[in-house]
Amino acid sequence: MPAKRDPSGAGGRRVTIADVARKAGVSRATVSRVLNGQDTVDPVLAGRVRQVSRRLGYHPSAIAQGLARGASHTIGVVVPDLANPFFPEVVKALTVAAGKDGFSVVVADSDEDPEAELRLIQDVSRRVDGLVLCSPRAGIADLRRVVRKGLPTVCTNRMVDPPLTASVMIDSGRGMQAVIRHLTELGHRRIAYLAGPSSSSSNADRLGALERSLPGAVVIPTGSKSQEGYASAAAAAEAGATAVICFNDLVAFGALARLRALGVAVPGEMSVVGFDDIPAADFVHPALTTVRLPKAELGRRSWEVLRDQLGDHGAGASVRLEPTLVVRESTGKAIGVTEDAVAIGERAGG
Amino acid sequence: MPAKRDPSGAGGRRVTIADVARKAGVSRATVSRVLNGQDTVDPVLAGRVRQVSRRLGYHPSAIAQGLARGASHTIGVVVPDLANPFFPEVVKALTVAAGKDGFSVVVADSDEDPEAELRLIQDVSRRVDGLVLCSPRAGIADLRRVVRKGLPTVCTNRMVDPPLTASVMIDSGRGMQAVIRHLTELGHRRIAYLAGPSSSSSNADRLGALERSLPGAVVIPTGSKSQEGYASAAAAAEAGATAVICFNDLVAFGALARLRALGVAVPGEMSVVGFDDIPAADFVHPALTTVRLPKAELGRRSWEVLRDQLGDHGAGASVRLEPTLVVRESTGKAIGVTEDAVAIGERAGG
DNA sequence: TTGAAAGCGCTAACAC
DNA sequence: GTGTTAGCGCTTTCAA
């Protein structure tokens, strides 16, 4: 038998628009019209087409549609780490918003690796109409090199200057200021910061705000996971801090666990603050005081800004969102500030 | 006046292979060969092509490639809820494994909504070479109707009988048995189960195992989120249970928080067990005893099983993975088993 | 209202 | 080695 495989449906061949057209006794154009909801088709034919189409189990190839239409109606979003609850929430809101406008979202996870991120960006770029870069970790120069010119793009939580893309930012610095105000009002003088990935722009913003408002703060390179918070928390205690600000809630969870293991009471002897306000922050003990970042709004606005570029405007707005401090149980009065602790701190701080 | 379609909106027409071919003075076929790493091209030409391609910022359209090649080298995975840390871990491992074989993964989140899930499945099916359904929530009949015949598919954590797809399962029942053994060895007699979504097959498996091993258990419909665990935990306490098994770790977090609010000591007065072993389980207090599901392996094996189908149109294997009980601090001796509690339990249980 | 035909951007025989 | 020529499955003029 020739190479052509059995068209009667039993074989593995994909059902195409041509199959439907043939069975229904119409042209492919008509099938296309019917299935795309154009009302310029004879109801009788339309009915027949629909029925045959259903009977054959026909589903138009999105790939072919994409090629023919010149647009895939799909956008990509690349995130550093889906396992960090911050990102799924952004992605979900983004997906819902885009979905309402008939766009699908494909998600890619770079696993906090700048190299992988660059590769993913290029890869995803080849198959989407637009791109959202969530807190990208790659260097600005690399980013600039890799973001395809002409591909509508929005970048969140990352200032790229001069802007190569539209941006939606959360003012992390403001969040940090609120934390510092809260902590100093409680009497804390010696404060440690468990810093996030050096590649994180949010981390840089927070660090900047910290050093501006509180030049003497102890900065401890940490990371973005609970494991790392657990590892770093002891150093904060040893540095004589009475309060520790964590890069994110996950890190704070780790710190909380370590402090407990160390027998350091929270908030009695040590206050702990996180960033993000992930759902679990309200369920750990003590409930975590944290800076709530508007994750859902970040997702929604990202889509809106992207959509505007998709439409026509090459411009691309620049949106800035505000975080809010959520005070729970993990912060309290700095009753632990003694001469002794300060002395230790001084020594440790150099 | 749309003279020429410009889907990218933001100005410049897309750079195509034809542009590169023209500038480089070769045919499109040659450009294609060079860029796809065929070594049958004159090195001089190849060099020129590569240079022109880079200078023009050419990136082949994955859409067009997909059409021409008859395969997109992309697979889809649909999950019930990316915000549940269980799924990102599966997805990550799956992505890594697939990536090694040159496949991209697109992720879709149904938000625990069976309707949305069905829609997503159909949508994603139109643009991928294969599909992984992670713990699908839709009914079997619907699933069967919607999964495109001939599309390689693997289904995790969901028995579909007769199998319409290959499957990779985690034996939830075994996990439940291990939990019950652990708990009864500790002396617990009155045990409550905070059940997951009724649409969850894992939940059904656990429930089945529970009712088989422990007919008198108190079952409290709950859900899959901490919020819901928080809401249900009081009922478990009121039912006189000395141990509560939670559908997943997130639910357990909620239960832990509620029990604390209620002044019920864990594990002193109440033991708490979760399922999944998400990273945070080891950092909450008390550290959560839980059934560890091999998430990464689930992802990897799913890819392997799918890949086998991608190759030939074989039936598709059926893999079964084993969970392991991880005992931490949230379970302990049932010192709270008194005549009184048993009496209350008896009454509540009917 | 419908069909024929020309692509969308790319790859893959098949010649030369 | 390299170019020519068909498509991949679909949409969309343009005629009829």
Side-chain angles (χ1 to χ4, degrees), chain A residues 215-235:
Chain A
V218 181
V219 176
I220 303 169
T222 303
S224 60
K225 313 218 165 90
S226 300
Q227 209 62 263
E228 302 166 315
Y230 189 91
S232 287

Side-chain angles (χ1 to χ4, degrees), chain A residues 77-319:
Chain A
V77 32
V78 0
V79 301
D81 182 16
L82 270 183
N84 180 339
F86 177 82
F87 296 106
E89 300 224 7
V90 175
V91 169
K92 277 177 164 254
L94 180 36
T95 302
V96 171
K100 282 184 182 146
D101 291 322
F103 275 72
S104 303
V105 175
V106 314
V107 188
D109 177 334
S110 70
D111 210 25
E112 295 280 4
D113 174 359
E115 302 285 314
E117 183 178 273
L118 292 169
R119 232 173 304 124
L120 277 178
I121 292 175
Q122 301 196 72
D123 194 61
V124 173
S125 294
R126 306 194 303 118
R127 55 179 75 240
V128 298
D129 297 342
L131 197 56
V132 176
L133 305 177
C134 264
S135 312
R137 304 307 201 204
I140 284 193
D142 286 334
L143 240 28
R144 198 177 295 284
R145 184 167 53 72
V146 129
V147 170
R148 179 150 70 69
K149 187 71 189 93
L151 212 225
T153 303
V154 6
C155 189
T156 77
N157 288 333
R158 174 70 172 261
M159 218 22 152
V160 179
D161 195 47
L164 81 163
T165 70
S167 71
V168 181
M169 312 272 294
I170 296 177
D171 195 334
S172 266
R174 284 280 287 270
M176 181 57 98
Q177 285 167 17
V179 170
I180 294 173
R181 198 176 320 120
H182 171 61
L183 254 19
T184 53
E185 279 174 10
L186 287 170
H188 295 276
R189 294 295 171 263
R190 184 95 191 142
I191 296 176
Y193 175 52
L194 304 194
S198 56
S199 51
S200 160
S201 179
S202 303
N203 181 60
D205 293 348
R206 290 166 203 179
L207 209 45
L210 178 70
E211 289 174 339
R212 239 171 290 120
S213 312
L214 209 71
V218 181
V219 176
I220 303 169
T222 303
S224 60
K225 313 218 165 90
S226 300
Q227 209 62 263
E228 302 166 315
Y230 189 91
S232 287
E238 280 160 21
T242 63
V244 50
I245 304 173
C246 304
F247 171 63
N248 67 22
D249 293 346
L250 253 20
V251 168
F253 291 172
L256 245 24
R258 183 59 172 277
L259 291 171
R260 188 189 323 277
L262 255 25
V264 177
V266 176
E269 300 171 79
M270 179 82 84
S271 286
V272 176
V273 185
F275 269 83
D276 288 357
D277 193 31
I278 62 179
D282 200 20
F283 292 99
V284 295
H285 179 74
L288 192 67
T289 292
T290 187
V291 177
R292 170 177 299 159
L293 307 188
K295 299 167 279 296
E297 194 178 357
L298 183 64
R300 275 194 303 272
R301 298 302 294 274
S302 295
W303 166 244
E304 289 169 10
V305 169
L306 187 59
R307 182 188 52 195
D308 290 349
Q309 290 182 77
L310 253 18
D312 233 345
H313 332 331
S318 173
V319 174

Side-chain angles (χ1 to χ4, degrees), chain B residues 203-217:
Chain B
N203 180 61
D205 293 348
R206 291 166 201 178
L207 208 45
L210 178 70
E211 288 174 340
R212 239 171 290 120
S213 312
L214 210 71

